[in-house]
Amino acid sequence: MSQRISEHVVLDVEPTGKKVTISVDGKEIEAYEGEPILSALLAAGIRINRYTVKRHEPRGLFCGIGQCSDCSMVVDGKPNVRTCITPVKAGMIIQTQDGLQAEKEAAS
């Protein structure tokens, strides 16, 4: 059973666009250009997007409309990207976010 998002309350979602490859934590997955990153992740069986700061608890899809930060990941080196509203582009490099990446990078 695919969990690809075919309808979205905020975005125009058409999962029939051009097939592309994106990298998620070093693993290549297929996605459709223009679909939300989160849709491609769910279709590939990836449910965890980030881990919380204090307890290191996993987070994933919650609101699906960009209002919370549970789907935030590091996309092409940029932390805190909300994957539920960010469209896929060919060759994206996506990483599971651990805590608040922006704070870690500023401290480095």
Side-chain angles (χ1 to χ4, degrees):
M1 175 174 81
S2 175
Q3 296 230 341
R4 180 165 264 116
I5 298 168
S6 59
E7 293 183 27
H8 194 283
V9 274
V10 175
L11 306 172
D12 286 331
V13 177
E14 295 203 23
T16 56
K18 177 182 167 190
K19 264 193 182 178
V20 296
T21 302
I22 60 176
S23 172
V24 182
D25 292 330
K27 176 185 173 189
E28 289 192 349
I29 66 168
E30 285 189 343
Y32 292 101
E33 200 164 50
E35 76 176 324
I37 295 169
L38 187 59
S39 179
L41 299 175
L42 291 171
I46 299 168
R47 306 278 180 269
I48 298 171
N49 303 110
R50 70 177 187 93
Y51 290 92
T52 61
V53 177
K54 291 185 180 180
R55 293 189 186 171
H56 197 68
E57 295 173 326
R59 293 291 185 258
L61 173 62
F62 182 71
C63 78
I65 59 171
Q67 297 301 304
C68 73
S69 60
D70 280 352
C71 70
S72 294
M73 297 182 84
V74 180
V75 177
D76 292 333
K78 181 180 177 189
N80 307 315
V81 174
R82 290 184 170 105
T83 59
C84 69
I85 60 169
T86 304
V88 165
K89 294 179 188 166
M92 284 181 140
I93 299 172
I94 301 161
Q95 297 168 297
T96 301
Q97 185 164 308
D98 188 14
L100 299 173
Q101 294 289 321
E103 285 184 7
K104 284 185 180 181
E105 290 172 2
S108 299

